[in-house]
Amino acid sequence: MTTLEALRTTLAAEHAAVYVVGALGAQTSQSGAPALYAALQDAYVQHRAQRDRLDRELRDRGAEPVAAEPAYALPERLGTVAAVERQALELETACAATYAALVAHTAGPLRRWAVEVLVRTAVRELAFRGTPEMFPGVGEHADR
Protein backbone atom coordinates (compact mmCIF):
# COMPACT_ATOMS: atom_id res chain seq x y z
CA MET A 1 0.00 0.00 0.00
CA THR A 2 1.34 3.43 -0.90
CA THR A 3 1.15 6.50 1.32
CA LEU A 4 -1.58 7.96 -0.90
CA GLU A 5 -3.61 4.76 -0.68
CA ALA A 6 -3.22 4.72 3.09
CA LEU A 7 -4.30 8.36 3.30
CA ARG A 8 -7.35 7.69 1.12
CA THR A 9 -8.31 4.61 3.15
CA THR A 10 -7.99 6.55 6.38
CA LEU A 11 -9.98 9.47 4.99
CA ALA A 12 -12.77 7.10 3.93
CA ALA A 13 -12.79 5.67 7.47
CA GLU A 14 -13.00 9.17 8.94
CA HIS A 15 -15.93 10.09 6.68
CA ALA A 16 -17.77 7.06 8.05
CA ALA A 17 -16.69 7.78 11.63
CA VAL A 18 -18.04 11.35 11.52
CA TYR A 19 -21.37 10.07 10.21
CA VAL A 20 -21.72 7.22 12.70
CA VAL A 21 -20.52 9.18 15.74
CA GLY A 22 -23.06 11.87 14.89
CA ALA A 23 -25.80 9.25 14.78
CA LEU A 24 -24.65 7.75 18.07
CA GLY A 25 -24.67 11.18 19.67
CA ALA A 26 -28.26 11.63 18.54
CA GLN A 27 -29.14 8.50 20.54
CA THR A 28 -27.57 9.86 23.73
CA SER A 29 -28.97 12.20 26.33
CA GLN A 30 -26.77 14.87 27.86
CA SER A 31 -28.76 14.70 31.09
CA GLY A 32 -29.28 10.92 31.11
CA ALA A 33 -25.73 9.85 30.27
CA PRO A 34 -23.48 12.91 30.60
CA ALA A 35 -20.17 11.02 30.44
CA LEU A 36 -21.16 9.14 27.28
CA TYR A 37 -22.56 12.30 25.73
CA ALA A 38 -19.31 14.17 26.43
CA ALA A 39 -17.20 11.30 25.07
CA LEU A 40 -19.25 11.23 21.86
CA GLN A 41 -19.02 15.01 21.50
CA ASP A 42 -15.25 14.80 21.89
CA ALA A 43 -15.07 11.93 19.39
CA TYR A 44 -17.15 13.89 16.88
CA VAL A 45 -14.91 16.96 17.11
CA GLN A 46 -11.75 14.85 16.86
CA HIS A 47 -12.97 12.80 13.90
CA ARG A 48 -13.99 15.93 12.00
CA ALA A 49 -10.58 17.51 12.61
CA GLN A 50 -8.81 14.32 11.53
CA ARG A 51 -10.97 14.06 8.42
CA ASP A 52 -10.13 17.64 7.51
CA ARG A 53 -6.39 17.09 8.07
CA LEU A 54 -6.42 13.98 5.85
CA ASP A 55 -8.28 15.90 3.14
CA ARG A 56 -5.62 18.65 3.26
CA GLU A 57 -2.78 16.10 3.23
CA LEU A 58 -4.12 14.56 0.04
CA ARG A 59 -4.72 17.92 -1.64
CA ASP A 60 -1.25 19.14 -0.64
CA ARG A 61 0.16 16.08 -2.41
CA GLY A 62 -1.83 16.87 -5.55
CA ALA A 63 -4.16 13.91 -5.00
CA GLU A 64 -7.94 13.95 -5.10
CA PRO A 65 -9.44 13.09 -1.70
CA VAL A 66 -12.10 10.41 -1.56
CA ALA A 67 -15.58 11.81 -1.15
CA ALA A 68 -17.92 10.86 1.65
CA GLU A 69 -20.66 8.41 0.82
CA PRO A 70 -24.20 9.85 0.76
CA ALA A 71 -25.04 7.61 3.74
CA TYR A 72 -23.49 4.86 5.83
CA ALA A 73 -25.02 1.79 7.44
CA LEU A 74 -25.97 2.57 10.99
CA PRO A 75 -25.98 0.09 13.84
CA GLU A 76 -29.35 -1.24 14.93
CA ARG A 77 -30.79 -1.48 18.45
CA LEU A 78 -29.26 1.61 20.00
CA GLY A 79 -31.90 2.00 22.69
CA THR A 80 -29.57 1.68 25.67
CA VAL A 81 -26.44 3.40 26.92
CA ALA A 82 -24.62 0.05 26.78
CA ALA A 83 -25.57 -0.44 23.12
CA VAL A 84 -24.32 3.03 22.17
CA GLU A 85 -21.08 2.47 24.10
CA ARG A 86 -20.60 -0.90 22.38
CA GLN A 87 -21.04 0.64 18.92
CA ALA A 88 -18.77 3.59 19.75
CA LEU A 89 -16.12 1.15 20.98
CA GLU A 90 -16.38 -0.88 17.76
CA LEU A 91 -15.98 2.31 15.73
CA GLU A 92 -12.92 3.47 17.66
CA THR A 93 -11.36 0.00 17.47
CA ALA A 94 -11.79 0.00 13.69
CA CYS A 95 -10.31 3.50 13.51
CA ALA A 96 -7.30 2.37 15.58
CA ALA A 97 -6.63 -0.39 13.06
CA THR A 98 -6.89 2.11 10.20
CA TYR A 99 -4.47 4.52 11.87
CA ALA A 100 -2.07 1.68 12.68
CA ALA A 101 -1.98 0.97 8.93
CA LEU A 102 -1.42 4.67 8.22
CA VAL A 103 1.51 4.67 10.65
CA ALA A 104 2.98 1.69 8.80
CA HIS A 105 2.78 3.45 5.42
CA THR A 106 3.99 6.94 6.27
CA ALA A 107 7.15 8.65 7.49
CA GLY A 108 8.28 11.90 9.08
CA PRO A 109 5.79 14.47 10.38
CA LEU A 110 2.82 12.63 8.87
CA ARG A 111 3.77 9.45 10.72
CA ARG A 112 4.17 11.37 13.98
CA TRP A 113 0.68 12.82 13.51
CA ALA A 114 -0.74 9.36 12.71
CA VAL A 115 0.85 7.97 15.90
CA GLU A 116 -0.65 10.83 17.93
CA VAL A 117 -4.08 10.10 16.46
CA LEU A 118 -3.67 6.39 17.12
CA VAL A 119 -2.90 7.13 20.77
CA ARG A 120 -5.92 9.48 21.07
CA THR A 121 -8.11 6.83 19.45
CA ALA A 122 -6.89 4.19 21.90
CA VAL A 123 -7.63 6.53 24.81
CA ARG A 124 -11.13 7.20 23.42
CA GLU A 125 -11.72 3.45 23.39
CA LEU A 126 -11.38 3.55 27.18
CA ALA A 127 -14.19 6.12 27.39
CA PHE A 128 -16.43 3.57 25.68
CA ARG A 129 -15.56 0.76 28.08
CA GLY A 130 -12.63 -0.59 26.11
CA THR A 131 -9.59 -2.16 27.72
CA PRO A 132 -6.01 -0.93 27.37
CA GLU A 133 -3.93 -2.63 24.67
CA MET A 134 -0.17 -2.69 24.39
CA PHE A 135 -0.36 -2.30 20.60
CA PRO A 136 -3.69 -0.59 19.80
CA GLY A 137 -4.94 -1.22 16.31
CA VAL A 138 -2.68 -4.21 15.73
CA GLY A 139 -4.79 -7.31 16.29
CA GLU A 140 -1.98 -9.85 16.10
CA HIS A 141 -0.38 -8.35 19.23
CA ALA A 142 -3.60 -8.02 21.26
CA ASP A 143 -2.69 -10.93 23.55
CA ARG A 144 0.51 -9.27 24.80
Side-chain angles (χ1 to χ4, degrees):
M1 178 182 289
T2 67
T3 298
L4 286 178
E5 290 169 336
L7 284 166
R8 285 188 178 112
T9 298
T10 308
L11 177 57
E14 285 295 1
H15 284 313
V18 167
Y19 187 91
V20 173
V21 169
L24 294 175
Q27 299 295 315
T28 308
S29 165
Q30 186 174 12
S31 61
L36 177 58
Y37 183 85
L40 287 168
Q41 288 290 92
D42 176 61
Y44 184 76
V45 168
Q46 291 298 316
H47 284 293
R48 284 186 57 169
Q50 291 159 196
R51 177 202 61 195
D52 294 348
R53 167 81 186 260
L54 291 161
D55 186 275
R56 279 192 313 277
E57 284 290 339
L58 283 160
R59 289 182 193 282
D60 289 350
R61 294 166 186 267
E64 186 67 26
V66 295
E69 298 292 327
Y72 294 89
L74 293 174
E76 296 180 10
R77 298 182 191 94
L78 293 174
T80 66
V81 168
V84 172
E85 284 176 337
R86 189 170 41 257
Q87 292 301 321
L89 177 58
E90 282 184 28
L91 176 88
E92 294 300 339
T93 301
C95 284
T98 303
Y99 275 97
L102 184 63
V103 168
H105 293 93
T106 55
L110 181 56
R111 177 178 270 178
R112 279 191 293 281
W113 175 77
V115 168
E116 290 169 7
V117 174
L118 176 57
V119 169
R120 284 195 304 267
T121 300
V123 170
R124 262 196 316 275
E125 286 183 36
L126 301 177
F128 301 122
R129 307 286 185 244
T131 56
E133 293 181 31
M134 187 176 295
F135 299 103
V138 186
E140 66 263 22
H141 298 299
D143 62 340
R144 296 185 185 178

